[in-house]
């Protein structure tokens, strides 16, 4: 274990927020403390496992291999139509490549699909906007779930992950486009990618600011970084306190709020384009389950009814107000930072 100063602003003083055990995987009986930096107000684990120790806190089954889903003829037909609509929306509203023959009628298609586009955005089902040549790097790609979806949408995908198990699974599908290790050790050439994606990864890394500066180096001039991570400033985090499920101690080393993640990205040379929060109820219910089990030694009564009638509408509204449990941030490379 190591005791650190804030790795973002360098401030040595901090305030302890709470302490909690590893309640998710229970690989240790140690007690861990989350502190708030008195300089930039970033939340982080302190003391924390070192880079050499952190692997021991991840169970062997942390990257389970997804089983293929079986679908009937009717479901395959519905999926095909849904895929067509998603592809048209991607081309008409998110800048995805479209053939010259289809471009003549794009205005009419856009008019017809406008209500569906708004409906999908309102439901939190937007797509990753197309950038440049469509070269995307998924940092912490795991077994390749995101890569498969992005490749199906037309992206030129690459991935990197620290787990040998996860990389072996991903390489079976994507070959040497997936590498094992940390991003800094990959030594990608400058301006190799148009988009770099961190899907629930940035909270796991020991040094987020140097990592994001490396991202700035390897994305093209119009490139973007897209980050999805737990929102430590969410209403759920405030309601559940130390029982909030996404604290995920000790594997989550940093805990971002809108202001602190914005500050880190700007320090790395990015300009914020959009910040949204998630609409789902998954983490709320997981936190509620944990609270009832740990504090009251019982399951949540009428769980399915409570989730459907109360929690889903609540999380949906809170997410649209900007206090959902997940941060979704898109930032563009700032040329002046170079």
């Amino acid at each position: 274990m190591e005791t650190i100063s804030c790795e973002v602003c360098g401030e040595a003083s901090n305030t302890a927020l709470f302490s909690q055990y590893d309640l998710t995987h229970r690989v240790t009986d140690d007690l861990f403390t989350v502190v708030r930096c008195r300089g930039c107000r970033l939340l982080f684990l302190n003391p924390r496992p070192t880079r050499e120790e952190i692997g021991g806190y991840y169970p062997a089954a942390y990257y389970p291999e997804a089983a293929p889903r079986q679908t009937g003829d009717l479901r395959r037909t519905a999926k095909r139509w849904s895929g067509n609509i998603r592809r048209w929306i991607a081309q008409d509203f998110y800048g995805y490549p479209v053939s010259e023959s289809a471009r003549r009628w794009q205005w009419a298609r856009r008019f017809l699909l406008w209500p569906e586009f708004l409906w999908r955005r309102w439901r939190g089902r937007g797509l990753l906007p197309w950038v440049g040549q469509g070269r995307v790097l998924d940092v912490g790609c795991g077994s390749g779930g995101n890569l498969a979806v992005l490749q199906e949408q037309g992206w030129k995908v690459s991935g990197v992950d620290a787990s040998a198990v996860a990389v072996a699974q991903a390489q079976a599908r994507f070959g040497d486009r997936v590498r094992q290790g940390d991003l800094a050790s990959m030594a990608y050439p400058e301006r190799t990618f148009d988009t770099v994606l961190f899907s629930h990864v940035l909270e796991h890394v020991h040094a987020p600011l140097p990592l994001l500066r490396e991202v700035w180096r390897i994305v093209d001039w119009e490139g973007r970084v897209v980050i999805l991570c737990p929102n430590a400033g969410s209403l759920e985090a405030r309601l559940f306190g130390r029982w909030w499920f996404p604290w995920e101690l000790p594997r989550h080393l940093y805990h971002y709020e809108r202001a602190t993640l914005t500050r880190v990205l700007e320090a790395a040379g990015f300009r914020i384009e959009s910040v949204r929060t998630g609409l789902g109820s998954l983490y709320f219910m997981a936190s509620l389950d944990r609270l009832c089990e740990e504090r009251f030694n019982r399951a949540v009564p009428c769980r399915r009814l409570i989730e459907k009638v109360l929690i889903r509408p609540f999380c949906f509204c809170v997410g649209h107000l900007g206090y959902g449990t997940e941060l979704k941030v898109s930032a563009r490379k700032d040329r002046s930072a170079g």
Side-chain angles (χ1 to χ4, degrees):
M1 300 289 285
E2 60 182 359
T3 300
I4 63 167
S5 300
C6 178
E7 291 204 8
V8 173
C9 72
E11 176 63 48
S13 61
N14 54 68
T15 303
L17 213 63
F18 67 88
S19 296
Q20 188 56 280
Y21 296 96
D22 175 9
L23 299 178
T24 305
H25 296 289
R26 302 184 187 274
V27 298
T28 177
D29 294 326
D30 293 343
L31 187 65
F32 301 95
T33 300
V34 173
V35 303
R36 185 183 293 278
C37 172
R38 290 183 179 175
C40 66
R41 299 188 58 78
L42 179 66
L43 299 176
F44 57 95
L45 190 66
N46 200 26
R48 68 184 188 184
T50 65
R51 287 176 171 83
E52 293 72 28
E53 295 169 336
I54 192 65
Y57 293 96
Y58 286 83
Y62 199 78
Y63 297 99
E65 187 168 8
R69 292 186 296 176
Q70 301 297 323
T71 57
D73 291 340
L74 184 61
R75 180 166 292 186
R76 277 196 294 269
T77 301
K79 185 177 180 181
R80 185 167 60 250
W81 271 106
S82 177
N84 287 336
I85 292 173
R86 185 169 58 250
R87 185 177 69 256
W88 295 333
I89 288 176
Q91 294 171 352
D92 297 344
F93 298 99
Y94 291 95
Y96 283 57
V98 59
S99 65
E100 286 298 325
S101 59
R103 196 180 299 276
R104 291 178 300 171
W105 305 102
Q106 197 172 15
W107 64 270
R109 195 171 62 184
R110 185 183 290 116
F111 176 77
L112 293 172
L113 289 175
W114 181 258
E116 179 68 15
F117 162 68
L118 293 179
W119 170 255
R120 290 181 180 229
R121 283 200 63 178
W122 188 66
R123 295 297 301 272
R125 295 166 59 190
L127 298 175
L128 190 67
W130 188 267
V131 182
Q133 303 172 46
R135 302 165 298 174
V136 61
L137 174 67
D138 186 7
V139 180
C141 64
S143 56
N146 285 334
L147 294 179
V149 173
L150 291 168
Q151 181 170 267
E152 185 179 348
Q153 294 172 357
W155 291 86
K156 302 170 186 175
V157 299
S158 299
V160 58
D161 199 284
S163 167
V165 175
V167 168
Q169 295 177 12
Q171 285 181 338
R173 304 164 72 181
F174 304 102
D176 60 6
R177 288 178 290 168
V178 177
R179 303 182 186 179
Q180 182 187 351
D182 62 273
L183 179 58
S185 68
M186 294 297 104
Y188 288 111
E190 292 184 8
R191 300 170 59 185
T192 300
F193 301 103
D194 299 294
T195 297
V196 175
L197 173 65
F198 291 86
S199 181
H200 290 267
V201 171
L202 195 63
E203 62 270 24
H204 290 263
V205 304
H206 280 77
L209 184 53
L211 181 66
L212 289 171
R213 284 174 174 158
E214 173 66 5
V215 172
W216 188 95
R217 188 186 69 82
I218 65 174
V219 293
D220 213 340
W221 287 120
E222 298 302 318
R224 291 190 182 99
V225 59
V226 177
I227 298 172
L228 286 76
C229 65
N231 180 14
S234 65
L235 185 57
E236 289 179 31
R238 300 176 188 179
L239 286 173
F240 289 106
R242 67 193 184 101
W243 304 106
W244 187 48
F245 191 85
W247 292 124
E248 181 63 356
L249 307 179
R251 287 158 293 277
H252 288 186
L253 305 176
Y254 286 90
H255 309 277
Y256 299 100
E257 301 165 290
R258 180 192 296 255
T260 52
L261 184 54
T262 296
R263 193 173 295 120
V264 174
L265 282 164
E266 289 176 345
F270 290 94
R271 190 166 29 86
I272 303 297
E273 285 193 320
S274 67
V275 181
R276 303 189 308 277
T277 62
L279 311 177
S281 61
L282 177 65
Y283 288 140
F284 191 106
M285 293 307 301
S287 302
L288 186 60
D289 287 336
R290 171 172 291 174
L291 180 64
C292 288
E293 291 169 4
E294 298 290 339
R295 292 296 300 274
F296 307 110
N297 198 29
R298 61 171 297 178
V300 178
C302 305
R303 188 186 189 281
R304 300 180 75 178
L305 180 63
I306 288 174
E307 181 178 12
K308 184 176 182 179
V309 176
L310 296 177
I311 305 306
R312 286 182 185 173
F314 172 79
C315 291
F316 189 82
C317 293
V318 167
H320 274 298
L321 291 172
Y323 295 96
T325 193
E326 180 184 53
L327 279 172
K328 301 178 179 181
V329 179
S330 175
R332 187 181 289 273
K333 182 174 182 174
D334 188 348
R335 287 173 176 256
S336 63

